[in-house]
Amino acid sequence: MHWLYLWLAIVFEVGGTLSMKLSGGFTKWQPSILLVVFYICSFVFLTLTLKGLEVSTVYAIWSGAGIVAITIIGFVYLGEHVNVTKVLSIVLIVIGVISLNLSSEKTSDPLPTVSESIE
């Protein structure tokens, strides 16, 4: 269920970022309202995700997937310029997110959590 929450958080974050672009600096009221609603929903689902998954993995996937998705939307629908440097940068983000996710799954002896060290 936590993975579903994470993907919902990503979808809402991308919707919020797209609404931010469409709001024209808060001059258009409909995308401005959607921006706030989408980001609230994103943070709600992100918070629910953190109840069951590691924060480093969650944040890397949330931010990385959001960056990749909004960049592709910018290229395809908003007519933003595509170049080799941008594409290579996106590939590096994807590699970083995958690497972080794989490394956190292989951790067998994690450091104590904050709550464990308080006890």
Side-chain angles (χ1 to χ4, degrees), residues 7 19 28-29 38 47 53 55 69 74 88 107 114:
W7 289 113
S19 297
K28 299 175 184 168
W29 68 272
F38 285 151
T47 302
L53 299 174
V55 69
L88 181 59
T107 303
V114 174

Side-chain angles (χ1 to χ4, degrees), residues 76-99:
V76 174
Y77 295 107
L78 302 176
E80 294 181 359
H81 180 68
V82 181
N83 62 37
V84 175
T85 304
K86 288 181 181 181
V87 172
L88 181 59
S89 298
I90 294 299
V91 169
L92 290 172
I93 290 169
V94 171
I95 290 170
V97 169
I98 291 170
S99 298

Side-chain angles (χ1 to χ4, degrees), residues 10-86:
I10 293 166
V11 168
F12 282 113
E13 188 268 335
V14 170
T17 303
L18 184 58
S19 297
M20 189 182 305
K21 172 70 174 171
L22 299 175
S23 74
F26 292 108
T27 59
K28 299 175 184 168
W29 68 272
Q30 290 171 330
S32 297
I33 291 172
L34 286 175
L35 180 160
V36 173
V37 170
F38 285 151
Y39 270 110
I40 289 171
C41 291
S42 179
F43 286 126
V44 166
F45 285 114
L46 192 62
T47 302
L48 292 172
T49 302
L50 291 173
K51 290 174 79 173
L53 299 174
E54 294 179 355
V55 69
S56 59
T57 303
V58 168
Y59 194 74
I61 293 171
W62 179 74
S63 60
I67 290 168
V68 171
I70 204 66
T71 301
I72 292 169
I73 290 169
F75 293 159
V76 174
Y77 295 107
L78 302 176
E80 294 181 359
H81 180 68
V82 181
N83 62 37
V84 175
T85 304
K86 288 181 181 181

